Amino acid sequence: AMRAFEYTKDSLKDKIILVTGAGDGIGKAAALTYAGCGATVLLLGKTQSKLEAVYDEIERLGLPQAAILPMDLQTASFAQMQELARLIEKEFGHLDGVLHNAAILGALTPLEMYDPITFEQVMRVNSTAVFMLTQSLIPLLRAASSGSVIFTSSSVGSSPRAFWGAYALSKQSVEGMTVIFTQETQASTALRFNCINPGATRTNMRAHAFPGENPYTLKTPEEIMPAYVYLMSDAASGVKGQLIDCQPK
Ligand code: NDP
């Protein structure tokens, strides 16, 4: 179904979708694309000015007005996430989708030398905060007719590799969350949990991980958007516990 998927300006019409890390890279492309498909996008991220730039671009394009939710996932408490959920409930009553996209790379170092503080920071942003935010938002997602949660993994999430340290472990954890949440919600609702591996994509994170690489040899965030829209859309209702791999083989 995915291979043939082409989105239109109505693919996500009237949906309310939260995107984390919406200010840059793949998250920015997803926010703009979701708005282009008719969704009201809630832009969550760390750097306010980047979120404002995405908000302005959505406005300039005449798309459904977005909302900015500044939150540092490194430091945000569970209470703050629950407060955020109450705010969304008050404003919109429900939530149709969450794209967990924000992440940090941490260090590319042998585990033997990996700084424990960096380890905790990476696990917090890439895994613990993902769990806490998902748990906070589930009641709102259940209130939607067809709620969709998308986690973001990496090739090292499926196959951990030397030097990828906490990043690889955090992405393994996110793949595990996809399986566990899926099994635990199976019968009860239309709510679904899936995961995307974007594969090598032209962003700042990729450039940090592979400084010697020519970015122009890589696919752009825009090129992988069909997978991102598909899993959010009603075309994927009933699609549960899947990992869509956008890495060209
Ligand atoms: P970028 O570094 O370009 O963007 C990451 C986004 O996450 C930024 O908007 C950043 O905000 C946000 N973010 C980081 N830390 C926090 C925080 N503490 N609180 C809130 N927001 C935060 O990365 P990509 O676009 O490349 O990556 C997007 C996702 O795709 C990640 O999950 C990544 O692991 C995954 N991925 C990417 C690949 C690639 O080749 N690009 C390959 C495989 C997986 P700010 O700019 O304000 O810091």
Side-chain angles (χ1 to χ4, degrees):
M2 173 39 217
R3 204 166 290 277
F5 188 71
E6 281 177 40
Y7 55 83
T8 72
K9 66 174 179 35
D10 292 328
S11 291
L12 302 173
K13 196 172 169 348
D14 299 330
K15 288 188 187 292
I16 317 288
I17 299 174
L18 186 149
V19 177
T20 74
D24 212 338
I26 295 167
K28 175 180 181 175
L32 290 168
T33 303
Y34 288 167
C37 292
T40 296
V41 186
L42 314 185
L43 308 164
L44 189 149
K46 192 175 60 180
T47 309
Q48 172 111 15
S49 58
K50 291 185 182 183
L51 301 175
E52 281 166 4
V54 176
Y55 177 99
D56 290 348
E57 177 71 0
I58 288 172
E59 181 157 81
R60 194 184 64 78
L61 293 167
L63 300 171
Q65 187 177 40
I68 294 181
L69 311 172
M71 178 175 277
D72 184 344
L73 296 169
Q74 186 78 75
T75 54
S77 66
F78 184 57
Q80 282 170 317
M81 295 184 189
Q82 290 177 303
E83 182 54 36
L84 179 72
R86 278 193 289 276
L87 206 113
I88 296 170
E89 173 163 40
K90 209 172 119 216
E91 196 71 24
F92 302 103
H94 75 280
L95 189 62
D96 295 288
V98 181
L99 170 60
H100 290 286
N101 160 85
I104 54 174
L105 188 59
L108 299 174
T109 305
L111 277 179
E112 190 178 350
M113 294 168 220
Y114 206 96
D115 173 23
I117 294 178
T118 307
F119 188 96
E120 277 199 319
Q121 288 170 336
V122 171
M123 295 307 283
R124 177 77 183 194
V125 173
N126 297 8
S127 175
T128 309
V130 172
F131 153 71
M132 293 196 302
L133 192 57
T134 304
Q135 196 193 66
S136 303
L137 296 174
I138 279 181
L140 288 173
L141 288 156
R142 283 190 193 281
S145 54
S146 175
S148 173
V149 177
I150 304 177
F151 298 110
T152 307
S153 189
S154 158
S155 300
V156 294
S158 309
S159 319
R161 276 204 307 275
F163 314 124
W164 283 84
Y167 180 82
L169 297 171
S170 70
K171 293 303 189 181
Q172 283 206 294
S173 147
V174 154
E175 291 197 10
M177 263 188 246
T178 310
V179 173
I180 293 176
F181 273 123
T182 298
Q183 289 181 2
E184 291 174 353
T185 52
Q186 200 98 66
S188 50
T189 59
L191 177 57
R192 58 191 193 275
F193 298 85
N194 294 286
C195 190
I196 295 177
N197 169 22
T201 306
R202 194 188 307 164
T203 67
N204 291 336
M205 183 188 285
R206 177 74 191 185
H208 276 107
F210 295 87
E213 183 178 67
N214 176 0
Y216 292 97
T217 61
L218 300 172
K219 59 183 162 48
T220 62
E222 288 70 27
E223 286 175 75
I224 55 176
M225 286 302 120
Y228 284 77
V229 178
Y230 170 69
L231 284 180
M232 274 305 168
S233 75
D234 293 340
S237 66
V239 175
K240 293 180 172 189
Q242 299 297 304
L243 171 68
I244 295 186
D245 192 346
C246 301
Q247 173 66 38
K249 287 292 174 299

